[in-house]
Each structure stands twice: as structure tokens, then as C-alpha cells.
Amino acid sequence: IVNAGYSVSSTHANPLGTKTNAPMSVLWDIIRSWVKEHPTKPNPHLTYANKILSKEPVLKANFARAQKALSKAQQQGVPRFLPNPEENWGPKARAGRKIGKRKVQDNEGGDTKRTRAH
């Protein structure tokens, strides 16, 4: 996509997701060019994929690695999605103290509230 003159970046929510300003026709031409270079198994059934991929690409895609496609963090090898620091990491039970079989929690107003411990 970068070699075709458009910008592209990864999304914050999905490691496989991308954002680009390239029109869909360019993206389909890139996919068609990829399939021409790396043929897939023939599908005897008439499908939308066959119909889309059977068209000749208008844009000849260049699959050489473009350095502009990598962010500074990617060039330095900084991971985008970090693993959890320890097992069972994450939100824990709400803070409180146990008195016998009941758990006492402080409310926002400073009052104490008694609940049964599980």
C-alpha cells in the first residue's frame, strides 16, 4: 500500500488490523496481484471470490518491503501488545476486610456495609 503511494498504519485494538487512505479499488488490485503471484486452489463453484479475483488488476502491486510502512517503535522492535506480567493478572476482588463470615467494605460516603463472604 505504501509502495502505491498511500499511507497505512496499524490499529490500536487489533494486531492484525490496518488503517489506510487507499481506495477499495487499489486494495482489491493488490489482492489480485498477490493471488497472481501466489495462486490459490481452484474453486469449481461460482463464488464472489472467483468473480472478484478473475478481473485483471489495473495497478501492478510492488511487494518489496517499504521502510516507511514501519513506525519508529516497530523499527526498534518494541512490542505493540504486551503479555500479562504475571499469571492471573488483572482486576482483583474489591478491597475490604473480613469480620467473621461477613465482609465489611467502606462505601464512598465513609459508611461501612456488611455483605456475606463467598
Side-chain angles (χ1 to χ4, degrees), residues 1 5 22-23 27-29 32 39 45 47 51-52 76 81 96 100 103 117:
I1 297 172
L27 296 177
W28 281 118
D29 282 344
R32 287 182 191 109
H45 303 291
T47 63
K51 188 173 182 179
I52 292 170
Q76 295 172 357
F81 296 91
K103 184 175 182 182

Side-chain angles (χ1 to χ4, degrees), residues 19-80:
K19 301 181 291 186
T20 183
N21 62 350
M24 285 303 297
S25 60
V26 170
L27 296 177
W28 281 118
D29 282 344
I30 292 170
I31 293 170
R32 287 182 191 109
S33 297
W34 179 265
V35 171
K36 276 193 172 293
E37 290 183 20
H38 305 89
T40 59
K41 294 179 185 176
N43 188 351
H45 303 291
L46 183 60
T47 63
Y48 289 112
N50 289 345
K51 188 173 182 179
I52 292 170
L53 295 175
S54 66
K55 292 171 72 177
E56 214 35 56
V58 176
L59 171 82
K60 175 66 176 129
N62 176 5
F63 294 110
R65 175 147 326 241
Q67 287 301 318
K68 292 191 317 185
L70 300 176
S71 68
K72 291 176 189 172
Q74 288 173 326
Q75 290 173 354
Q76 295 172 357
V78 177
R80 176 87 177 197

Side-chain angles (χ1 to χ4, degrees), residues 74-96:
Q74 288 173 326
Q75 290 173 354
Q76 295 172 357
V78 177
R80 176 87 177 197
F81 296 91
L82 299 174
N84 290 339
E86 60 186 44
E87 190 175 338
N88 299 321
W89 178 84
K92 305 287 192 260
R94 188 172 179 181

